[in-house]
């Protein structure tokens, strides 16, 4: 049983659902579970989270990636506690005003918290509907489809269970690669199952790999590295990284010691990295020294990987 699925009457329902929905944006369930539990040990309630600060929340989020989610979660908890008596607004427009909450999360929360007749359209739900209609996902207006079929979809008063069951059905029965049609109770209404001409999913375009050069200034004696927030990885802005520059080629740079080449992916970006270093006490402006052994405060895992590589230099 997933730890955020608590009884409908639980006072923690809103907090658990909010926390899990933020964590589950872009991250798989099995990765989220231990983070979710650990988060609760530190912040057992919405109020305790709202009283915290960004540094603490980011530290707990370390390794989960997409750190903007952590900031938005904290901001949302403060708004709910301070301006809304720790309650979730009851309509879509007001929920969408909360930081980090888009259409999907807003609909999920309305269904889970208030049992409203709404569906959070995630990848699983899209796949189920597109198979039932035997139509490509990008040819379906899901909002319109749900609106038109509202009466048929929400026949019982268990709207929250229905929203959750639909996602679960997509994950366990109408699976991405091999749908388990022979165990499926809706085969008779499924055009994909009945059709001899099944639609083919449009292939996702492959993400282009980009080349980056990373330049590390190292204070060998004091085991320090210079980091800056002024770097060219916009999606990691506000975080400390060594100097990093995008490059059109894979050519080696002169005047720097080449350390290694490695591949990485951050968020949905793929990076091919050439890592360089220089022993120097002179560092460019906007840089500051950080101990390579630093452990107590938040440093993104990408920077930590570089720490690890650089620490091996004799
Ligand atoms: S019959 Fe097969 S394809 Fe159709 S909804 Fe059921 S599992 Fe999915």
């Amino acid at each position: 049983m997933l730890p955020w699925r608590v009884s409908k009457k639980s006072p923690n329902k809103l907090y658990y659902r909010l926390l899990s929905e933020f964590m589950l944006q872009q991250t798989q369930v099995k990765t989220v579970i231990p983070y979710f539990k650990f988060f609760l040990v530190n912040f057992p309630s919405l109020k305790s989270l709202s009283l915290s600060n960004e540094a603490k929340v980011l530290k707990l989020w370390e390794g989960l990636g997409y750190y903007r989610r952590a900031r938005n979660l904290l901001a949302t908890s403060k708004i709910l506690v301070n301006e809304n008596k720790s309650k979730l607004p009851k309509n879509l427009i007001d929920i969408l005003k909360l930081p980090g909450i888009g259409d999907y999360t807003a609909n999920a929360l309305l269904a889970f918290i208030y049992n409203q007749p709404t569906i959070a359209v995630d990848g699983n739900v899209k796949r189920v509907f597109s198979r039932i209609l035997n139509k490509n996902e990008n040819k379906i207006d899901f909002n319109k489809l749900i609106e038109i079929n509202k009466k048929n979809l929400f026949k019982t008063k268990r709207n929250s269970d229905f929203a959750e069951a639909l996602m679960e059905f997509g994950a366990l029965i109408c699976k991405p690669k091999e749908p388990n049609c022979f165990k499926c109770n809706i085969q008779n209404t499924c055009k994909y199952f009945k059709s001899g001409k099944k639609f083919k999913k449009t292939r996702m375009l492959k993400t282009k790999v980009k080349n980056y050069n990373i330049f590390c200034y190292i204070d060998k004696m004091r085991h320090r590295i210079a980091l800056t927030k002024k770097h060219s990885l916009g999606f990691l802005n506000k975080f400390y990284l060594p100097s990093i520059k995008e490059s059109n080629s894979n050519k080696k740079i002169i005047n720097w010691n080449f350390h290694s080449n490695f591949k990485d992916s951050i968020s949905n970006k793929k990076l091919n990295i050439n890592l360089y270093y220089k022993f120097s006490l002179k560092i460019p402006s906007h840089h500051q020294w950080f101990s390579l052994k630093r452990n107590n405060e938040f440093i993104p895992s990408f920077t930590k990987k570089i720490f690890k590589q650089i620490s091996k230099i004799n």
Side-chain angles (χ1 to χ4, degrees):
M1 165 109 161
L2 297 170
W4 44 88
R5 282 189 190 159
V6 285
S7 132
K8 291 189 171 65
K9 287 184 184 147
S10 164
N12 292 322
K13 187 170 75 169
L14 170 59
Y15 178 48
Y16 285 16
R17 286 297 186 170
L18 195 69
L19 177 58
S20 62
E21 286 304 327
F22 269 83
M23 287 186 165
L24 288 165
Q25 291 167 6
Q26 323 276 352
T27 309
Q28 289 185 337
V29 172
K30 66 173 191 299
T31 310
V32 165
I33 291 173
Y35 276 92
F36 178 86
K37 290 181 176 169
F38 189 55
F39 213 87
L40 289 188
V41 173
N42 290 275
F43 302 121
S45 65
L46 187 66
K47 180 139 193 219
S48 60
L49 172 62
S50 74
L51 294 171
S52 183
N53 59 51
E54 201 172 287
K56 272 191 198 161
V57 174
L58 285 174
K59 183 73 191 150
L60 289 181
W61 206 270
E62 208 172 276
L64 204 53
Y66 296 92
Y67 295 98
R68 193 179 296 162
R69 295 179 297 177
R71 292 197 178 99
N72 285 334
L73 171 68
L74 178 63
T76 290
S77 74
K78 287 182 190 289
I79 294 171
L80 292 181
V81 170
N82 300 328
E83 298 170 25
N84 219 32
K85 297 180 182 158
S86 296
K87 299 248 181 313
L88 183 77
K90 285 193 168 161
N91 64 76
L92 196 66
I93 294 172
D94 287 337
I95 298 182
L96 285 171
K97 286 179 192 158
L98 294 166
I101 298 196
D103 245 21
Y104 168 81
T105 308
N107 279 301
L109 291 172
L110 277 176
F112 298 151
I113 307 303
Y114 293 129
N115 196 34
Q116 288 195 17
T118 180
I119 292 171
V121 183
D122 69 347
N124 285 324
V125 172
K126 281 186 181 170
R127 185 174 58 257
V128 171
F129 282 143
S130 69
R131 286 209 177 118
I132 292 171
L133 299 173
N134 198 27
K135 232 184 189 184
N136 220 311
E137 280 176 23
N138 49 22
K139 291 195 177 139
I140 302 173
D141 178 339
F142 290 96
N143 289 336
K144 205 169 155 191
L145 182 75
I146 292 166
E147 193 52 44
I148 293 170
N149 291 288
K150 224 165 184 174
K151 269 193 185 162
N152 291 329
L153 288 167
F154 303 103
K155 280 185 173 167
T156 72
K157 288 197 174 127
R158 296 175 60 191
N159 300 320
S160 154
D161 290 339
F162 177 65
E164 197 133 57
L166 198 53
M167 292 179 197
E168 202 87 351
F169 176 73
L172 302 175
I173 304 286
C174 197
K175 294 186 284 189
K177 281 193 184 146
E178 284 171 32
N180 208 342
C181 300
F182 293 100
K183 273 196 176 172
C184 178
N185 290 331
I186 57 168
Q187 323 174 320
N188 291 339
T189 48
C190 177
K191 291 188 178 164
Y192 183 88
F193 178 72
K194 291 201 261 182
S195 173
K197 203 175 162 207
K198 301 190 191 312
F199 81 95
K200 285 214 169 65
K201 218 176 168 238
T202 332
R203 275 220 195 144
M204 293 271 279
L205 286 174
K206 272 197 174 172
T207 321
K208 212 177 147 201
V209 182
K210 285 190 175 177
N211 296 318
Y212 285 92
N213 292 321
I214 292 185
F215 302 99
C216 301
Y217 292 88
I218 297 170
D219 170 0
K220 197 177 178 188
M221 293 297 287
R222 297 173 67 187
H223 220 61
R224 296 185 302 174
I225 181 171
L227 302 179
T228 176
K229 282 186 180 177
K230 291 221 163 191
H231 50 74
S232 60
L233 287 188
F235 51 97
L236 279 181
N237 66 2
K238 299 192 186 168
F239 293 123
Y240 281 106
L241 294 181
S243 225
I244 177 161
K245 285 192 180 121
E246 197 179 332
S247 152
N248 292 330
S249 77
N250 220 350
K251 264 194 194 164
K252 299 280 178 302
I253 308 286
I254 45 170
N255 296 332
W256 281 85
N257 302 305
F258 176 72
H259 180 276
S260 54
N261 170 270
F262 63 97
K263 312 255 182 296
D264 206 338
S265 52
I266 312 174
S267 304
N268 54 355
K269 312 266 185 305
K270 289 196 170 158
L271 287 69
N272 173 42
I273 291 162
N274 282 326
L275 185 62
Y276 294 89
Y277 70 95
K278 184 182 265 189
F279 296 121
S280 167
L281 290 179
K282 248 178 133 187
I283 54 176
S285 57
H286 307 298
H287 282 60
Q288 64 185 73
W289 290 111
F290 282 77
S291 162
L292 280 161
K293 288 179 185 153
R294 201 164 182 130
N295 249 333
N296 301 331
E297 62 189 84
F298 174 74
I299 297 275
S301 35
F302 179 68
T303 307
K304 279 193 173 162
K305 275 182 211 165
I306 295 166
F307 277 24
K308 215 172 163 187
Q309 304 247 15
I310 289 298
S311 300
K312 290 174 198 157
I313 299 171
N314 290 316

